[in-house]
Amino acid sequence: MASDQRRRRKKRTTGEHSGEGTSEAPPPAQIHPNIASLLGTHRAAHPDGGTILEAASQLLMAHDWPVNCPRFMEALRLVGLDCVSHMRYLRIDHHLLTALVERWSPQTNSFHLTVGEMTITLQDVAMILGVHIDGPALVGHPVVGVGRRWLSWPDCCDDLLGSHPLPDVVYRDPFDHRITSRFHMGQAHSQTCVPLRWLRWTFWRDSYLDLNDMDFWRHVRAYILFILGCHLLPDTSGSEIHLQYLTIMEDLAVFSTYSLGGAVLAHLYRELGEATRPSRANIAGCIHLLQIWAWEHLHVGRPLLRVPFPVELGGLSVGFRWNEDHLRELPVGNLITYRDELDGLLDSQVIWQPYTPDIQAQVAQICLSGADIWTARVPVISWKRVEWHLPDRVLRQFGLCLRIDIQPMDPSFKRVDGRGKPDMDWMLYHRAHIEIWESRRGFIVTGDLLDHHNTYSIHQYIHWYKSWATLYMLKAPVEPPTTAYPRAPSERLLRDFFLGTEQALQPHFNGTDNTPQQRDINTIAELCRGLRRQLYIQDQGYFEDRGEHDAPFSMTQEPPHQYSGYAGPSSYPDQGPSTDLFSS
């Protein structure tokens, strides 16, 4: 009895919640929308103990299945995956994703930033990925088992794909026949998953023109499974895809009507919530959607493009303009600098509505289909997982006046997954949420258009928001920064201008000729020295990296003694979270 009492006291003092996972909503009496209320269960309370999150997305693997056959491309267009097939690999900025996850509240499904709440919405999914958001929820009845449509999962594979992985067969990589492997269907005896590599090795072809209709559509189903597992709905394994999605592809015309975008969003919301656990080392879901969303809305970590902005989209989705071959410079930040930038984020550094009328005129029609449900406050469903889409918390992303009477997520909402429920009929289990989704046009959030000449509603919202939100990861600086680190693209241009000017004129500094030009150069030299006395500008190897000069820059400063090696504000070397926010 005494030991039970000690355990209960420990649970109260450590802030642990009962239930399934730390991302589950706390009991109604403990509902607080701020991150600090989660105490030690959120990684924001452990800035020095958490790991940098690794992404489980395998979009790079999707490059190994190029699609050039006109017949196949037309099939993807009919299914609604044409835009997705044109997205290319992006280097993941793991430090930026980690900094964003530290500001994610599972109780509001939104990021808590100094400028207010922001989140990925159905609009972002449609515009960035170019997938359907309108239509039936992506969930189905159980159809595998005794007395059902298929007796076993291998039978389902054989029917809809034409084959399944055989452990005694040696498979060869179609691009390099020296690489071989044996494949097993995953999830132990239930055999509910197939390896992504097996799908690519088995079903990739140079051309699909010679296939009969049955075999052709089997190859299309295999490609859809492959894209779901690599890019849109990857799990933490990053190497397999559950065959539950195959069961609703028997009729691809019906599959094309599902709300795939809603499933992608529900899956990403759940993975963001799971990633807030301090012990979590990786994050799954459509990570490229999250990274492109951040680049579209925030200046933090945003790369420069090789082509004029915006890129001519030519009937594709917004995500196409961030393909790697369009990037000219990808900033290399780290977690501390990203925390600092998000702590100091200004309203002028946020693009609340990136999808301008000019952009919407260029994108594919699929990006705009379902635009009338962009502000629907409804559950979004990805088979076993249900999450709430709460646009009323981020009305400014839709150009509407902000509200201060927003309620947190329904305290009765409970997050569940498929663990221990192998034979669950999720259509019945989520029936109440599915009914709300089917009536989604009755749950549209409306509001007055935001008047940019009258910002009273914004000031009123910010005053209310700051009264409860957890805004800062780092403590406020007590000294001016001594390190100059360019954050926004405009700041990088200012750095380049300074270093380039100093480099070009340095041989002429301190000249004795009494000419107007020499006097101007000497004035510039004094200004450069004065700036360097106030700020440490990290320029070691700057010109060699760009191949513009053969010799190293000779005016490199010695870093200040408090400079700790990261290219960020040195006024934040060792400071942790604000103790008044995260104490019990």
Side-chain angles (χ1 to χ4, degrees):
M1 178 66 70
S3 62
D4 292 341
Q5 292 175 345
R6 284 195 297 271
R7 280 195 294 271
R8 285 195 292 269
R9 285 197 300 269
K10 181 179 180 182
K11 179 172 289 189
R12 287 196 297 270
T13 57
T14 56
E16 294 178 7
H17 302 304
S18 61
E20 184 182 310
T22 57
S23 64
E24 189 171 306
Q30 300 181 20
I31 278 288
H32 298 289
N34 62 323
I35 296 173
S37 68
L38 300 175
L39 300 175
T41 63
H42 197 288
R43 66 169 44 239
H46 308 275
D48 300 321
T51 58
I52 303 299
L53 291 169
E54 291 292 327
S57 175
Q58 297 288 338
L59 186 55
L60 179 60
M61 187 186 296
H63 289 194
D64 297 334
W65 193 329
V67 177
N68 301 309
C69 176
R71 184 186 183 190
F72 206 88
M73 295 171 67
E74 176 63 16
L76 294 182
R77 188 189 65 79
L78 294 175
V79 174
L81 289 175
D82 178 49
C83 292
V84 173
S85 68
H86 283 84
M87 294 186 67
R88 295 294 179 263
Y89 171 68
L90 284 176
R91 283 173 289 173
I92 297 297
D93 192 338
H94 297 97
H95 292 263
L96 175 60
L97 298 183
T98 303
L100 288 172
V101 169
E102 289 176 338
R103 295 167 184 277
W104 179 261
S105 171
Q107 300 175 105
T108 61
N109 278 347
S110 63
F111 299 105
H112 290 187
L113 304 168
T114 57
V115 295
E117 290 184 66
M118 299 185 72
T119 195
I120 309 103
T121 65
L122 286 171
Q123 179 192 39
D124 296 302
V125 177
M127 294 296 293
I128 293 174
L129 297 180
V131 294
H132 284 295
I133 60 170
D134 205 359
L138 192 72
V139 61
H141 291 292
V143 291
V144 175
V146 178
R148 295 174 177 168
R149 175 74 174 81
W150 294 283
L151 181 62
S152 66
W153 289 104
D155 291 339
C156 177
C157 265
D158 290 342
D159 187 15
L160 299 183
L161 297 180
S163 64
H164 68 273
L166 299 171
D168 56 342
V169 173
V170 176
Y171 295 90
R172 296 184 181 274
D173 187 334
F175 292 97
D176 188 345
H177 291 286
R178 295 172 298 178
I179 302 176
T180 61
S181 182
R182 297 178 186 270
F183 295 109
H184 300 264
M185 296 185 69
Q187 299 298 312
H189 297 293
S190 57
Q191 296 183 314
T192 56
C193 299
V194 292
L196 296 175
R197 283 200 308 158
W198 174 80
L199 290 171
R200 181 179 68 85
W201 287 16
T202 305
F203 295 96
W204 176 84
R205 296 167 63 96
D206 278 320
S207 174
Y208 302 85
L209 297 176
D210 59 331
L211 295 177
N212 60 48
D213 283 349
M214 177 181 291
D215 288 339
F216 174 74
W217 291 112
R218 283 172 171 173
H219 282 71
V220 173
R221 293 188 191 102
Y223 181 82
I224 296 173
L225 271 182
F226 182 75
I227 288 298
L228 293 181
C230 289
H231 180 24
L232 299 179
L233 299 171
D235 57 22
T236 51
S237 74
S239 60
E240 295 179 331
I241 180 66
H242 200 289
L243 287 170
Q244 62 192 8
Y245 305 108
L246 180 62
T247 63
I248 58 174
M249 294 183 199
E250 186 169 9
D251 187 340
L252 286 175
V254 174
F255 175 80
S256 66
T257 66
Y258 281 100
S259 174
L260 181 57
V264 170
L265 189 59
H267 193 67
L268 180 59
Y269 278 174
R270 180 63 60 86
E271 290 299 331
L272 281 166
E274 292 293 326
T276 62
R277 292 157 48 190
S279 60
R280 193 66 178 265
N282 49 35
I283 178 172
C286 192
I287 300 305
H288 289 80
L289 169 64
L290 174 59
Q291 179 160 295
I292 293 175
W293 174 88
W295 289 349
E296 288 286 341
H297 288 82
L298 307 173
H299 88 283
V300 178
R302 180 188 296 154
L304 298 179
L305 295 171
R306 297 184 183 274
V307 292
F309 194 85
V311 177
E312 292 293 332
L313 298 176
L316 296 173
S317 64
V318 171
F320 171 74
R321 71 180 177 186
W322 295 105
N323 281 351
E324 185 114 328
D325 55 340
H326 293 154
L327 302 184
R328 183 166 64 86
E329 177 183 351
L330 185 62
V332 181
N334 59 50
L335 184 57
I336 296 179
T337 57
Y338 285 145
R339 285 173 177 169
D340 172 46
E341 292 181 51
L342 293 173
D343 275 354
L345 190 67
L346 302 176
D347 192 78
S348 60
Q349 297 169 323
V350 177
I351 303 176
W352 292 99
Q353 294 178 269
Y355 316 119
T356 62
D358 289 342
I359 296 297
Q360 294 190 28
Q362 294 186 45
V363 297
Q365 184 58 39
I366 193 174
C367 299
L368 303 176
S369 64
D372 57 329
I373 65 167
W374 283 351
T375 58
R377 182 184 168 110
V378 289
V380 284
I381 302 163
S382 179
W383 214 278
K384 306 175 182 70
R385 295 177 165 186
V386 173
E387 291 288 340
W388 275 90
H389 178 245
L390 305 173
D392 51 336
R393 306 197 70 91
V394 293
L395 286 178
R396 199 172 178 189
Q397 291 181 217
F398 302 97
L400 302 178
C401 285
L402 300 159
R403 295 164 51 178
I404 59 174
D405 59 345
I406 311 168
Q407 296 300 316
M409 193 176 298
D410 183 355
S412 65
F413 173 65
K414 183 179 180 180
R415 291 181 169 95
V416 297
D417 57 28
R419 287 175 292 184
K421 307 177 183 70
D423 294 320
M424 178 64 66
D425 188 338
W426 296 103
M427 289 281 286
L428 296 178
Y429 190 91
H430 295 313
R431 179 173 55 189
H433 291 122
I434 293 173
E435 289 176 355
I436 298 175
W437 170 256
E438 290 176 347
S439 304
R440 51 194 172 276
R441 284 173 174 80
F443 295 91
I444 303 297
V445 177
T446 60
D448 297 329
L449 290 177
L450 196 62
D451 184 358
H452 297 286
H453 300 290
N454 182 4
T455 58
Y456 174 75
S457 64
I458 297 177
H459 294 307
Q460 187 182 33
Y461 165 81
I462 291 296
H463 178 75
W464 167 80
Y465 174 67
K466 289 186 175 180
S467 69
W468 60 264
T470 305
L471 300 181
Y472 304 105
M473 277 299 299
L474 302 176
K475 292 181 179 179
V478 294
E479 298 177 356
T482 57
T483 300
Y485 179 72
R487 301 180 296 184
S490 58
E491 294 180 15
R492 295 199 289 273
L493 292 174
L494 287 174
R495 174 203 59 191
D496 296 346
F497 175 79
F498 169 75
L499 292 178
T501 301
E502 190 180 44
Q503 171 74 6
L505 297 181
Q506 188 218 350
H508 308 288
F509 283 174
N510 303 321
T512 58
D513 295 341
N514 189 23
T515 62
Q517 293 84 357
Q518 185 59 54
R519 288 195 296 270
D520 290 342
I521 291 174
N522 290 342
T523 300
I524 293 174
E526 186 59 34
L527 291 172
C528 291
R529 285 191 288 268
L531 180 61
R532 285 186 176 274
R533 280 194 295 269
Q534 296 296 322
L535 286 175
Y536 171 67
I537 302 174
Q538 189 180 25
D539 56 13
Q540 181 67 44
Y542 172 81
F543 290 105
E544 295 93 312
D545 292 341
R546 282 154 178 76
E548 297 173 5
H549 296 268
D550 294 329
F553 192 48
S554 60
M555 297 189 67
T556 299
Q557 295 169 275
E558 288 295 323
H561 72 278
Q562 70 265 43
Y563 179 70
S564 60
Y566 66 87
S570 58
S571 57
Y572 296 151
D574 299 309
Q575 302 190 46
S578 301
T579 54
D580 58 330
L581 290 177
F582 292 99
S583 62
S584 59

